[in-house]
Amino acid sequence: MKKILLGLLVGLFALMTVACGQKSEASYCGTWQLMSVEKDGSKYTTSELEKLGEKNFSQVYMVLKEGGSAYLKDAYNGNTSSWSVEGDGLKIAEKICLYEDNFIVTDRNGSTVYFAKISDNQDITQFDEDKDDQEEVEDADDQDHEEATASPEPADESTYSEEEDFTFKKCDGDKLKITAYKGDAVEVTIPAQHDGKDVVEIEDGVFENMGGIRKVNIWANLTEIGDKAFMNCAALHEISIPNSVDSIGESAFENCSGLETVNFWGGKEIEDRAFRNCTGLKEITLASNIEEIGTEAFAGCGNLKKVTIWNDKVEIAKDAFKDCPQLEEVPE
């Protein structure tokens, strides 16, 4: 399954302004590569992030071309936009960034990202070879998957093992899901792997009603957050949804009234009531790979003022943003 990073690209650059010293348009033109990400007070290089399971960050680029065109590229997708130098800044719509120590620096929901100029090359066809190589890798992965699943054995639903405070069960062949949590930590980290096997799912209701959890860290590999997974976790104030996640289940974060920050790096489908009554939310930016927002997904978010969605083809259900009186513009 593809780990789509276009949400990172569009979320960061489709609406950004770079505040810097007086620089000419020509000095910006060229190819810029993502070099590092800073979050929770720690700075990680792209290679470190990939070792932690966040794949393909090293393949995130942007090209700023003479004449005001911009091309944004990840491992699988490309996206075009426009840019211009205005006063002492660089503007690609509205989001403010900085130019510091030869880096373009911007923040997104608590994380800071750093891009460095690697060449003056403005030719976007330089990425065609990378795309062909990636397609070959995907074809090989598909073939391996077909061979591995030609004669599938039923998934072993018995308890696989316990590590620290988690209980795991097998699913999807040789992958794992979290079925229980017995800890009392204030900050919970969902592992990317256990015993060499990918952790891909949080089962329904695993953290429901756990009022002491304040922060949840989720590394890549996770593809599904189950129904009511964090429902009624009133003290939860921050969570990041990695780009690997496809589905955020029904009522997954419902009634998390203290939730102030949701970093949407992924999440193709946000199901019914997923964030209903999250009254601490004030602003959200949904990644461009979002495809569907369910009924009352953000209903009752009384302090929500701004929603940015970088996909004009997203399906938004009726009443998805019901009872959000402060919302400046209701997405349709």
Side-chain angles (χ1 to χ4, degrees):
M1 184 178 295
K2 294 182 178 179
K3 305 280 195 302
I4 300 179
L5 296 178
L6 191 56
L8 171 65
L9 288 167
V10 178
L12 295 175
F13 299 107
L15 298 182
M16 82 175 183
T17 303
V18 178
C20 58
Q22 293 288 342
K23 289 174 64 65
S24 66
E25 176 180 306
S27 65
Y28 288 114
C29 292
T31 301
W32 297 74
Q33 181 180 9
L34 178 65
M35 292 296 182
S36 58
V37 177
E38 184 175 354
K39 56 183 179 180
D40 301 328
S42 298
K43 192 172 183 180
Y44 303 89
T45 65
T46 53
S47 60
E48 287 175 327
L49 287 169
E50 291 184 350
K51 289 178 181 178
L52 291 170
E54 297 282 0
K55 300 179 180 179
N56 298 323
F57 273 84
S58 62
Q59 300 181 49
V60 179
Y61 298 85
M62 68 175 178
V63 178
L64 303 182
K65 298 172 66 68
E66 291 182 9
S69 295
Y71 179 72
L72 313 175
K73 167 81 169 54
D74 65 13
Y76 303 104
N77 299 278
N79 184 61
T80 58
S81 186
S82 60
W83 72 282
S84 62
V85 176
E86 296 191 3
D88 58 357
L90 171 66
K91 185 176 183 180
I92 306 179
E94 301 173 45
K95 190 172 179 63
I96 297 176
C97 306
L98 300 173
Y99 182 81
E100 298 179 345
D101 299 324
N102 297 319
F103 288 96
I104 289 179
V105 184
T106 184
D107 67 271
R108 185 175 186 270
N109 293 330
S111 295
T112 304
V113 297
Y114 297 79
F115 278 73
K117 190 174 183 181
I118 60 173
S119 78
D120 293 325
N121 192 347
Q122 301 175 39
D123 185 1
I124 64 175
T125 61
Q126 65 183 294
F127 299 113
D128 290 346
E129 182 177 350
D130 292 340
K131 181 178 179 180
D132 292 340
D133 291 342
Q134 182 61 45
E135 289 174 350
E136 290 178 5
V137 171
E138 291 170 9
D139 291 341
D141 289 342
D142 291 341
Q143 182 177 353
D144 291 341
H145 177 72
E146 290 174 1
E147 292 175 355
T149 59
S151 301
E153 297 179 0
D156 181 4
E157 289 299 324
S158 61
T159 299
Y160 177 74
S161 65
E162 296 186 8
E163 179 179 291
E164 298 180 351
D165 297 320
F166 295 102
T167 301
F168 301 89
K169 287 186 179 180
K170 291 182 179 179
C171 67
D172 297 334
D174 202 30
K175 298 178 182 179
L176 300 176
K177 62 182 177 181
I178 295 174
T179 61
Y181 176 74
K182 60 181 181 181
D184 57 1
V186 173
E187 181 172 344
V188 176
T189 297
I190 306 300
Q193 290 188 326
H194 169 66
D195 196 23
K197 298 175 175 60
D198 290 350
V199 177
V200 298
E201 179 183 346
I202 300 173
E203 199 173 58
D204 297 351
V206 170
F207 298 94
E208 185 177 1
N209 297 320
M210 293 190 179
I213 298 175
R214 292 185 52 81
K215 184 176 180 180
V216 177
N217 304 306
I218 302 177
W219 293 113
N221 291 336
L222 197 76
T223 61
E224 182 176 349
I225 299 173
D227 298 346
K228 301 182 180 180
F230 295 91
M231 185 177 180
N232 297 328
C233 292
L236 180 63
H237 76 277
E238 180 178 354
I239 188 166
S240 294
I241 310 297
N243 55 37
S244 58
V245 171
D246 292 323
S247 175
I248 302 172
E250 293 184 6
S251 301
F253 297 94
E254 185 173 359
N255 297 331
C256 292
S257 56
L259 189 60
E260 298 177 352
T261 301
V262 182
N263 300 311
F264 284 101
W265 303 105
K268 289 184 180 180
E269 181 179 359
I270 300 175
E271 299 188 17
D272 299 350
R273 305 176 302 281
F275 292 90
R276 186 168 66 175
N277 296 332
C278 291
T279 53
L281 289 177
K282 295 181 180 180
E283 180 176 349
I284 56 174
T285 299
L286 301 178
S288 65
N289 61 338
I290 182 70
E291 297 177 356
E292 183 177 346
I293 301 174
T295 301
E296 296 191 4
F298 293 92
C301 295
N303 292 304
L304 186 61
K305 296 181 179 180
K306 184 176 181 180
V307 176
T308 303
I309 304 175
W310 298 118
N311 184 353
D312 57 8
K313 296 181 180 179
V314 63
E315 295 182 10
I316 303 176
K318 181 180 179 180
D319 294 334
F321 294 91
K322 178 182 177 182
D323 297 329
C324 296
Q326 296 194 48
L327 195 57
E328 298 172 358
E329 182 178 353
V330 179
E332 297 180 353

